[in-house]
Amino acid sequence: MSLKSSTNVSANTHELILEISAEDFNKAILKAYQKEKNQIQIKGFRKGKAPLQIIEKYYGEEVFFDSAINEFAGAEVFAAVEEAKLDIVDRPALEVVSASKADGVVLKAICTTRPEVNVPEYKGLKAPKVIDAVTDDVIDEQIEAARKRQARIITVEDREAKMDDEVLIDFEGFKDGVAFDGGKGEDFPLTLGSHQFIPGFEEQVVGHKTGEEFDIEVVFPTDYQMKELAGEKATFKINLKEIRTQELPEFDDEFVKDVSEFETVDEYKADLKSKLEESAQKKADAQFENYLFETIINNLEGEIPECMYDQKIDREIQEFEMRLKQSQMSLDLYFQYTGMDLDDLKATYRDRAVNEVKLRLALEKIVELENITVTEEEVENGLKEIAESNNLDVDQVKRIINVADYEMDLKVGKAADIVKENAVVDNTLAQKEEEAEK
């Protein structure tokens, strides 16, 4: 096969014209015949014994053309892509321009190439970095959560039910005086304020005591799943059998010793404050980084082939399917549970895929502009970390991953660092965005 021409026909689209000589084409036809003849039955010949010329006479000269051309459509086409020095991002689309035993074959390969993008600005970008204050109220909320985790449930009999209590009830629902299906329960535990039941139900249990029997009136939501009840009034007869509540432990030194490695309340609070401040800093750093990268994505210039987004979405779905399998669920079963189909799932990944492809292209462009390199030591150290975290040796990792792609990952990481290190904190941007939302 020989490359006859290479033409840029549009943005990210290249056309290659390739030729297969008559001699090579006829050799490929003979090879296809040898591979497929055992499947062909011609009258007067045993199966697989008919000569090539007889089969061509019977089925036409082109009978083995497709198989013969496919012999060249793999490695040879990609060799032509390499000769043309194209960086392609999708499998070339092939078209047979002409084919004959006398003249050989002319093929057209339409190649989608990696886009040339421009990053107008990536140093000196402005972004807000607002660190949430760790106030006494924030610390108290965390302490209250810790107390609730250690709470014990007790039965109360000396007061009415209130929000956040758990009540044990029997109930039965009636519409126009007639009990309806699915409206009855016995010894049902219900946390008041959990919104487990339809609006108005839990609120009307509040204020009643253990042992009381009473009616409550409700109206089913108009979008209720049982259409015969949607928007309808109903009466529920309630028997309140038990009221339970949480009893929280005292927050003192003994509590601290039980739930932590500290001895005193002051030590516990100091550690809690330090951890909350660290978490607030990490959150602010992440938001700062996301703002910078969103700015780069929004300012990126260049036409990006749709196939790059599609490929990213497909990879995300493959990873999602693997996670489902780890949970003993198939993608088909997931679709049954959710009512989604493959197109719906792809749509959920669309925005993220677009942003990730754009950001990667932008950072790779910065790698080029900054002439970023990585050393062999950096690559080896990174591969060792991957090996150790997956209980593999480095040689196994090298067989599993594409080392060249990993090197680019390291370079892209350095490009991201350049963006962050040269960025400017500007909290007026956050204020402007808040004002714009009002």
Side-chain angles (χ1 to χ4, degrees):
M1 180 179 289
S2 61
L3 176 63
K4 304 305 293 183
S5 67
S6 174
T7 308
N8 185 22
V9 295
S10 64
N12 310 318
T13 304
H14 227 82
E15 178 186 281
L16 303 180
I17 301 297
L18 311 97
E19 288 185 351
I20 304 171
S21 69
E23 180 182 358
D24 288 341
F25 187 43
N26 280 281
K27 287 179 182 178
I29 290 172
L30 184 58
K31 187 175 180 180
Y33 159 72
Q34 295 292 348
K35 185 182 296 185
E36 300 176 20
K37 67 179 182 179
N38 290 335
Q39 306 300 319
I40 299 174
Q41 178 74 62
I42 300 292
K43 188 176 180 180
F45 295 90
R46 283 182 295 164
K47 189 174 183 180
K49 297 299 183 180
L52 173 60
Q53 294 80 0
I54 298 297
I55 295 174
E56 289 178 335
K57 183 176 181 182
Y58 193 85
Y59 288 106
E61 185 183 63
E62 300 84 5
V63 61
F64 295 112
F65 276 19
D66 286 346
S67 297
I69 291 171
N70 286 337
E71 285 290 323
F72 293 88
E76 293 290 342
V77 171
F78 283 100
V81 168
E82 187 173 339
E83 183 181 342
K85 294 181 172 56
L86 300 181
D87 185 4
I88 63 174
V89 294
D90 201 6
R91 190 175 184 85
L94 290 182
E95 176 187 334
V96 179
V97 177
S98 63
S100 72
K101 296 181 73 173
D103 299 322
V105 180
V106 177
L107 290 178
K108 179 191 294 183
I110 302 299
C111 304
T112 303
T113 56
R114 183 172 294 275
E116 181 60 39
V117 299
N118 182 39
V119 186
E121 188 177 12
Y122 59 90
K123 290 182 178 179
L125 295 177
K126 295 180 180 180
K129 182 185 282 190
V130 180
I131 303 174
D132 295 333
V134 180
T135 63
D136 289 342
D137 288 342
V138 173
I139 294 173
D140 289 342
E141 286 176 6
Q142 293 296 313
I143 292 171
E144 187 70 9
R147 292 177 67 206
K148 286 182 177 179
R149 287 194 293 271
Q150 302 299 317
R152 65 188 185 97
I153 303 299
I154 61 172
T155 299
V156 295
E157 298 179 352
D158 58 347
R159 65 167 173 80
E160 297 87 357
K162 60 183 181 180
M163 283 296 178
D164 296 327
D165 284 342
E166 181 184 84
V167 295
L168 194 69
I169 59 173
D170 293 341
F171 63 90
E172 186 170 16
F174 297 83
K175 175 188 169 188
D176 299 327
V178 179
F180 53 82
D181 291 339
K184 185 175 182 179
E186 295 182 354
D187 293 331
F188 189 91
L190 172 65
T191 300
L192 301 179
S194 64
H195 307 296
Q196 188 175 353
F197 279 21
I198 61 174
F201 187 105
E202 296 167 23
E203 290 82 354
Q204 294 182 65
V205 177
V206 171
H208 292 281
K209 290 186 175 182
T210 300
E212 284 190 32
E213 296 184 4
F214 53 93
D215 293 350
I216 61 176
E217 306 288 335
V218 296
V219 177
F220 283 92
T222 55
D223 59 352
Y224 194 65
Q225 62 267 28
M226 297 175 64
K227 293 186 178 180
E228 64 273 17
L229 295 176
E232 296 292 331
K233 293 181 180 179
T235 299
F236 280 88
K237 294 186 177 298
I238 309 294
N239 177 13
L240 179 52
K241 304 174 80 170
E242 189 176 1
I243 302 172
R244 305 165 181 162
T245 191
Q246 288 185 333
E247 184 177 68
L248 303 184
E250 289 295 322
F251 180 63
D252 53 21
D253 289 349
E254 291 304 314
F255 173 85
V256 168
K257 291 175 185 178
D258 287 341
V259 302
S260 74
E261 70 272 28
F262 301 105
E263 297 290 326
T264 67
V265 166
D266 289 342
E267 290 174 339
Y268 182 88
K269 279 189 169 183
D271 180 72
L272 181 58
K273 182 176 182 179
S274 175
K275 289 177 179 176
L276 289 172
E277 288 174 341
E278 181 181 354
S279 177
Q281 181 66 55
K282 287 181 179 178
K283 177 184 174 184
D285 289 342
Q287 291 175 336
F288 180 72
E289 178 180 307
N290 290 339
Y291 194 103
L292 294 173
F293 290 159
E294 285 178 11
T295 302
I296 287 177
I297 289 168
N298 292 335
N299 293 341
L300 185 68
E301 297 173 350
E303 293 186 38
I304 301 173
E306 194 69 23
C307 66
M308 296 187 73
Y309 302 142
D310 294 338
Q311 291 165 5
K312 181 62 177 175
I313 291 170
D314 288 343
R315 289 194 295 272
E316 293 286 351
I317 291 176
Q318 288 171 4
E319 291 177 7
F320 177 66
E321 188 171 11
M322 289 177 63
R323 292 194 296 273
L324 287 178
K325 287 180 180 178
Q326 292 172 355
S327 302
Q328 308 301 313
M329 180 180 286
S330 68
L331 194 59
D332 287 340
L333 190 58
Y334 174 81
F335 288 151
Q336 291 178 32
Y337 283 154
T338 61
M340 299 174 69
D341 59 22
L342 185 58
D343 288 338
D344 295 329
L345 185 59
K346 286 183 176 182
T348 66
Y349 283 106
R350 170 76 186 182
D351 288 345
R352 187 168 77 181
V354 168
N355 287 338
E356 289 184 1
V357 168
K358 286 184 175 181
L359 180 59
R360 178 73 181 204
L361 289 170
L363 293 175
E364 287 181 358
K365 184 64 177 180
I366 295 172
V367 167
E368 175 190 330
L369 294 172
E370 294 287 331
N371 195 26
I372 295 173
T373 60
V374 292
T375 65
E376 289 185 10
E377 183 180 6
E378 288 174 316
V379 174
E380 285 298 317
N381 288 339
L383 294 175
K384 285 178 183 177
E385 289 182 10
I386 295 173
E388 290 172 0
S389 62
N390 291 279
N391 295 318
L392 300 170
D393 59 50
V394 174
D395 288 337
Q396 287 176 305
V397 172
K398 288 179 179 179
R399 289 194 294 269
I400 294 170
I401 72 171
N402 186 309
V403 176
D405 288 344
Y406 179 68
E407 288 180 10
M408 178 54 76
D409 291 342
L410 294 178
K411 294 176 184 178
V412 162
K414 290 186 176 184
D417 290 340
I418 287 175
V419 173
K420 291 182 285 186
E421 290 164 3
N422 289 275
V424 178
V425 175
D426 183 355
N427 286 331
T428 63
L429 294 172
Q431 296 169 3
K432 291 175 182 177
E433 289 183 355
E434 288 178 6
E435 293 172 359
E437 290 175 359
K438 292 179 180 179

